[in-house]
Amino acid sequence: MNTQLCAVTPDSVERAAALLKRGEVVAIPTETAYGLAANALDDAAVAKIFAAKGRPQDNPLISHISSLDMLPLIARDVPDDALRLARAFWPGPLTMILPRGERVADSVCAGLDTAAVRMPSHPAARAVIEACGLPLAAPSANLSGSPSPTTATDVLADMDGRVPLILDGGACEVGVESTVVSLTGPVPVLLRPGRVTKEQLEETLGREVELSGAVVSRLKEGEVARSPGMKYKHYAPKAQVIIVRGAFEHYRDYVRAEAGEGDWCLCFDGEEAALAPVPCVAYGAADDDGSQAHALFSALRALDSHGAKRAFARCPHETGVALAVYNRLLRAAAFRVVDV
Ligand code: TXA
Ligand code: MG
């Protein structure tokens, strides 16, 4: 298959919509990461997403809508909490797990009786959904297991020859995937942290949101993941990532003692000179978790393009948006953390 990379224009949006209406897969930008989109109401179309990504069939997808009119296609018995969150955070980087509606394709929900739905804010994503008039199932547009793509070039690196069209909307602003919150049980549960924080959800709902154990720790043998995606090795570059947790001075001394041929630092902006001669890729500012989220996945991909064998990573905090950064980095590091 020939893959075309096109800037977002009224023409390319129309072409994307035509392909989607015919049951094809198109990569589109969103504010979080690029998505691999297909008609969420059509099992045959959705099957092409799983094939292009090499994604396990038991990992369900998020359906993307452009207006609340589309919500009943995906979900039913929508609770008041969901409407509250929609008013506060949609369009934007928040996904809600709700009781499943009747029209959404079986394969989108991977056999569960719940469905994931979000209304993206990226103008290109919204334009494509509106132009085809369909809710779009879209996982991140990476090969299963590799870091999520935050530029069209990243998408091309993974999807060349696998999809007919990639819409190039520039670099994704948020840089980590949407916050996922489940509203199907007695208490709201945060399944995946993102740009919309646990603290913001609690403030809007006026009650506590439970943090799923899988966010910051490895699932125990035999434990069932509430968000199936959390059980897979994720976001991992080819380099072995080791998180080194502690003050910068201790990190620096540790790296100087340990680093050899092929080893890199995954540090914060401005720390490079103090770490020389160990080469560095920076992933945002130490005191700005939004910039860390924005840069993390490109930094992981940059390590691979440098041929890094190992990377010693600075450790983000565990609150606010930094919790999302920590969650992704832990998976990239396969939970290897050294305290210094
Ligand atoms: O920001 C995003 O959400 C991006 C962009 C493209 O919108 N999409 C994305 O999709 O990250 P994906 O497939 O890479 O991640 C979806 C996550 C997975 O961890 C999946 O297991 C979880 O959402 N999920 C989907 N449906 C679910 C359900 N019914 N119950 C629990 N978790 C679900
Ligand atoms: Mg993904």
Side-chain angles (χ1 to χ4, degrees):
M1 183 187 302
N2 231 330
T3 300
Q4 284 206 319
L5 183 70
C6 291
V8 176
T9 61
D11 265 9
S12 64
V13 166
E14 276 311 318
R15 222 139 51 73
L19 284 163
L20 290 162
K21 283 196 269 194
R22 285 211 308 266
E24 296 300 328
V25 172
V26 176
I28 59 169
T30 84
E31 68 278 20
T32 55
Y34 276 74
L36 211 53
N39 180 357
L41 310 180
D42 178 356
D43 270 307
V46 172
K48 294 180 187 170
I49 297 179
F50 283 90
K53 272 185 74 91
R55 181 173 176 115
Q57 299 286 342
D58 64 346
N59 193 3
L61 307 179
I62 298 169
S63 296
H64 296 66
I65 59 177
S66 60
S67 79
L68 283 179
D69 300 344
M70 285 181 173
L71 189 55
L73 297 171
I74 310 300
R76 67 180 150 77
D77 304 332
V78 176
D80 287 345
D81 276 351
L83 298 176
R84 256 178 228 122
L85 293 179
R87 267 196 299 276
F89 302 109
W90 280 1
L94 177 68
T95 294
M96 295 190 238
I97 310 296
L98 297 168
R100 181 187 160 176
E102 275 170 24
R103 294 285 310 281
V104 62
D106 285 337
S107 52
V108 171
C109 304
L112 301 173
D113 56 6
T114 56
V117 60
R118 96 171 177 99
M119 188 189 294
S121 62
H122 195 292
R126 300 176 62 75
V128 171
I129 300 168
E130 270 161 25
C132 62
L134 295 166
L136 297 178
S140 49
N142 50 290
L143 287 173
S144 201
S146 53
S148 292
T150 54
T151 67
T153 317
D154 293 347
V155 179
L156 189 65
D158 280 17
M159 289 298 148
D160 198 10
R162 293 170 173 263
V163 298
L165 178 63
I166 301 169
L167 289 188
D168 185 350
C172 301
E173 186 199 326
V174 176
V176 293
E177 309 88 338
S178 59
T179 304
V180 179
V181 64
S182 172
L183 298 174
T184 57
V187 289
V189 183
L190 181 64
L191 298 178
R192 182 174 74 180
R195 176 71 188 75
V196 174
T197 63
K198 179 170 182 285
E199 295 82 354
Q200 286 177 306
L201 295 172
E202 288 175 338
E203 198 182 306
T204 304
L205 294 175
R207 60 177 172 141
E208 214 170 300
V209 171
E210 185 186 319
L211 184 66
S212 165
V215 169
V216 291
S217 45
R218 204 197 286 269
L219 286 176
K220 292 181 201 77
E221 198 68 42
E223 192 178 347
V224 177
R226 274 195 275 189
S227 181
M230 285 294 172
K231 74 181 177 211
Y232 298 105
K233 187 181 170 193
H234 237 92
Y235 316 113
K238 292 179 191 78
Q240 183 187 60
V241 177
I242 300 162
I243 299 174
V244 181
R245 179 163 51 200
F248 176 70
E249 292 69 33
H250 298 149
Y251 168 88
R252 180 198 58 204
D253 294 346
Y254 180 86
V255 166
R256 283 201 182 136
E258 285 291 315
E261 183 75 30
D263 289 343
W264 284 66
C265 289
L266 187 58
C267 64
F268 293 131
D269 297 341
E271 295 176 346
E272 297 89 338
L275 295 165
V278 184
C280 296
V281 171
Y283 77 100
D287 60 355
D288 178 357
D289 52 10
S291 74
Q292 294 165 18
H294 178 77
L296 179 67
F297 288 137
S298 334
L300 293 175
R301 284 178 180 259
L303 287 172
D304 281 346
S305 65
H306 292 306
K309 288 205 206 75
R310 275 198 306 182
F312 298 106
R314 289 274 272 137
C315 188
H317 295 292
E318 289 182 43
T319 54
V321 182
L323 179 63
V325 181
Y326 183 57
N327 167 268
R328 307 309 192 274
L329 195 56
L330 267 177
R331 280 163 178 76
F335 294 91
R336 278 179 296 261
V337 182
V338 177
D339 284 291
V340 290

